[in-house]
Amino acid sequence: MSLVELHAIHKSFGELEVLKGIDLKIEEGQVIALIGKSGSGKSTLLRTINGLETINDGTIMVAGKKVGDRDTDVLTLRLNVGMVFQQFNLFPHYTALENVMLSPQVVKKQSKAEAKEVAEEMLAKVGLADKMMHYPDQLSGGQQQRVAIARALAMKPRVLLCDEVTSALDPELVNEVLAVVRQLAEEGMTLVMVTHEMRFAREVCDKLVFMDQGRIHESGAPEEVFANPKTSELASFVGGLA
Amino acid sequence: MAYKFDFGAIVPHWELLLDGVVLTTELTVIGAVVGVSLGTLGAWARASRAPVISQIVGIYVELIRNTPFLVQLFFIFFGLPALGVKLSEFQAAVLAMIVNLGAYSTEIIRAGILAIPKGQIEAAQSLAMNRVQIFRYVIIRPALKKIWPALSSQIVIVMLGSSVCSQIAAEELTFAANYIQAVNFRAFEVYFVATALYLAMSVLLRWVLKIFGNFLFERRSHV
Ligand SMILES: Nc1ncnc2c1ncn2[C@@H]1O[C@H](COP(=O)(O)OP(=O)(O)OP(=O)(O)O)[C@@H](O)[C@H]1O
Ligand SMILES: [Mg+2]
């Protein structure tokens, strides 16, 4: 059984069908890159995996449990599935350390000392041991994004979703965030990331998933997929990048 | 000018004025604390997508914002007894202020909540927080911070509006002033002093609210 199984997922916004029957299995420890044109449904797909978008049809199984749309189900699902966003979304009124400690304390009911220990460990892991007392507006974009990653990791999710985590960053800050993601991948974290960093995807990912117009057109090992595009959509997407 | 000013004529009544100031302060403090709490709940209900409760709160807000405070006060004091709810002057005055401020602060706080970037709420959801936790830890403090100046002004408005409660003989500052000028006929002096007292209370209240806001929103580590 895979860690996450999506079966025949359909999602519409009003008249617009954005996901048209998605099947995807995510294995423990796998690192998956979702690529595709703007508007192809990548973010929507990612967001259905942790219940930020409800689906119109299909099934989502996480860690062997079917996810219904009852609130309790969704909260349990989210304990297993962390997410990092393009815009960091740190809580502005808390320090980096408090941002990371908050959810373990209020959701997992960890003691302050326990939450602090975990938070310090996670912030050290993303290279921010010396910025723990800084507020978000006192941090660079790259640092904020690394805090956001630490915040998600502190919940010990089984899989981490990353939606274009470097797209809002100045070019010189991209690498420090990619380095953290790469390290997570090497440590065996299960990752699903939407990315436009093709070189990074090729180097780090086990599996590439190409989406176009709400469907998965091709997927497989990055080398294969890039070298022999089977569909004209992927061929033109890859061509457009060169 | 024939009129001879005589502020000394007020001196014998200073205790009445002081009592009035005290009562106005009590009305304001209770009205502000309970009214803003009510407004916070109302804003949450309005911002949440629970349709029925949100609509009920919406009707309450429109009802209060589109009717005069004096009429609301009369309704509570003279109207409610018909339903068997009989309140003292003070109780009626305080309830009217709570209900009034509750409605205005619902709208003000709601604006603050709506100004919270959606991404922060989604981040909190992704961290498995439930609605109550998100409201309490992620939304309310930044929301209040954004609208604190507007909310402070509204509280001052309600404090000044409490003068209307003299109309049901709640013995606040305006009632005291009315009473004094009815016995000594020194309308100018009495209302001059009352005006000065209201002004002083407003300035003081604004200052207190500012200090309190600084305390609430100050950056201090909770760890
Ligand atoms: N909340 C929404 N309401 C209506 N339409 C939406 C909503 N969210 C997304 N869409 C539409 O769904 C389609 C897919 O959007 P999605 O954000 O998933 O694309 P994407 O592949 O992530 O694109 P990008 O690379 O630009 O981020 C787009 O046409 C978008 O306009
Ligand atoms: Mg997207």
Side-chain angles (χ1 to χ4, degrees):
Chain A
M1 166 131 314
S2 313
L3 182 55
V4 180
E5 294 190 8
L6 305 181
H7 180 64
I9 304 293
H10 287 264
K11 168 71 185 176
S12 301
F13 292 109
E15 296 286 283
L16 181 70
E17 191 173 25
V18 175
L19 300 179
K20 302 170 183 166
I22 299 278
D23 290 291
L24 183 65
K25 288 187 179 168
I26 301 163
E27 309 296 338
E28 191 104 46
Q30 211 171 27
V31 179
I32 297 182
L34 269 179
I35 60 169
K37 282 195 305 239
S38 180
S40 56
K42 306 180 297 291
S43 297
T44 308
L45 177 59
L46 216 56
R47 292 161 56 84
T48 61
I49 301 178
N50 77 341
L52 284 181
E53 302 288 356
T54 55
I55 54 177
N56 301 104
D57 201 10
T59 51
I60 302 176
M61 307 261 290
V62 175
K65 272 210 200 138
K66 186 164 176 247
V67 180
D69 34 46
R70 297 210 323 275
D71 271 5
T72 49
D73 288 352
V74 175
L75 291 177
T76 324
L77 160 77
R78 287 175 183 157
L79 283 175
N80 287 317
V81 183
M83 186 155 184
V84 184
F85 302 82
Q86 188 173 341
Q87 298 297 340
F88 333 134
N89 297 333
L90 295 183
F91 308 132
H93 53 306
Y94 293 131
T95 60
L97 185 64
E98 290 164 348
N99 263 277
V100 181
M101 286 172 63
L102 180 63
S103 204
Q105 274 186 282
V106 307
V107 175
K108 289 193 158 176
K109 311 291 178 207
Q110 289 180 4
S111 72
K112 200 169 236 188
E114 211 179 335
K116 190 166 180 221
E117 198 184 313
V118 176
E120 284 171 348
E121 184 195 331
M122 293 306 159
L123 284 165
K125 188 187 181 78
V126 299
L128 291 173
D130 56 338
K131 303 284 184 198
M132 293 197 282
M133 295 305 168
H134 286 56
Y135 284 87
D137 63 7
Q138 299 166 335
L139 297 170
S140 73
Q143 291 168 339
Q144 288 186 56
Q145 192 61 294
R146 286 186 282 151
V147 174
I149 293 172
R151 182 174 67 176
L153 292 177
M155 291 297 280
K156 312 270 167 154
R158 310 261 315 256
V159 48
L160 187 64
L161 311 174
C162 301
D163 193 356
E164 299 197 37
V165 292
T166 57
S167 294
L169 297 176
D170 292 336
E172 70 272 20
L173 301 178
V174 167
N175 281 332
E176 64 185 56
V177 173
L178 289 184
V180 169
V181 178
R182 184 190 295 264
Q183 187 196 339
L184 291 178
E186 280 163 6
E187 288 171 5
M189 182 82 207
T190 311
L191 290 168
V192 184
M193 44 199 237
V194 174
T195 184
H196 292 300
E197 304 282 340
M198 290 307 149
R199 214 161 63 98
F200 182 79
R202 200 187 283 232
E203 285 169 15
V204 174
C205 297
D206 309 314
K207 184 174 172 181
L208 207 70
V209 173
F210 171 67
M211 286 186 70
D212 193 62
Q213 304 205 4
R215 288 199 174 84
I216 293 180
H217 269 246
E218 291 189 43
S219 65
E223 298 302 337
E224 298 261 316
V225 172
F226 277 126
N228 315 303
K230 291 191 191 66
T231 56
S232 56
E233 285 85 358
L234 179 56
S236 75
F237 181 73
V238 173
L241 295 170
Chain B
M1 254 201 351
Y3 192 82
K4 248 184 99 235
F5 295 107
D6 180 13
F7 283 94
I10 298 171
V11 175
H13 304 286
W14 69 272
E15 264 180 286
L16 262 177
L17 281 174
L18 185 66
D19 286 348
V21 168
V22 168
L23 203 92
T24 295
T25 307
E26 284 174 7
L27 284 173
T28 306
V29 171
I30 301 174
V33 171
V34 184
V36 170
S37 307
L38 184 65
T40 305
L41 289 176
W44 186 21
R46 289 288 279 154
S48 83
R49 270 158 289 162
V52 176
I53 182 109
S54 168
Q55 268 167 29
I56 293 172
V57 174
I59 291 169
Y60 154 63
V61 168
E62 290 312 313
L63 193 67
I64 297 303
R65 293 204 309 168
N66 293 294
T67 53
F69 179 60
L70 183 60
V71 174
Q72 294 162 15
L73 180 68
F74 280 178
F75 185 82
I76 288 172
F77 187 66
F78 298 117
L80 288 188
L83 304 178
V85 182
K86 189 139 176 40
L87 300 174
S88 71
E89 294 83 358
F90 181 81
Q91 288 167 338
V94 113
L95 181 61
M97 288 175 68
I98 289 169
V99 168
N100 187 273
L101 183 59
Y104 281 93
S105 59
T106 290
E107 279 309 282
I108 294 171
I109 296 169
R110 181 164 93 114
I113 292 176
L114 293 179
I116 302 294
K118 200 164 146 258
Q120 279 170 28
I121 295 164
E122 291 186 342
Q125 288 177 315
S126 301
L127 291 163
M129 286 188 224
N130 64 31
R131 285 156 172 268
V132 177
Q133 291 162 342
I134 293 174
F135 188 77
R136 175 166 165 202
Y137 296 106
V138 176
I139 294 179
I140 192 62
R141 205 145 66 94
L144 281 179
K145 183 178 179 181
K146 279 192 173 74
I147 51 81
W148 193 250
L151 191 60
S152 299
S153 290
Q154 192 62 43
I155 293 172
V156 171
I157 289 171
V158 166
M159 190 266 278
L160 297 176
S162 71
S163 67
V164 160
C165 300
S166 59
Q167 296 300 310
I168 60 166
E171 297 177 1
E172 43 67 72
L173 179 54
T174 305
F175 180 88
N178 292 345
Y179 177 83
I180 295 165
Q181 76 87 32
V183 288
N184 70 5
F185 305 109
R186 288 286 168 183
F188 181 91
E189 290 85 342
V190 171
Y191 289 118
F192 185 89
V193 169
T195 302
L197 286 172
Y198 273 116
L199 181 64
M201 288 170 76
S202 291
V203 171
L204 190 69
L205 180 57
R206 275 184 201 282
W207 181 77
V208 166
L209 287 168
K210 200 172 151 126
I211 300 287
F212 184 58
N214 290 346
F215 167 77
L216 269 185
F217 309 122
E218 166 191 42
R219 295 197 149 177
R220 66 193 120 89
S221 188
H222 303 263
V223 183

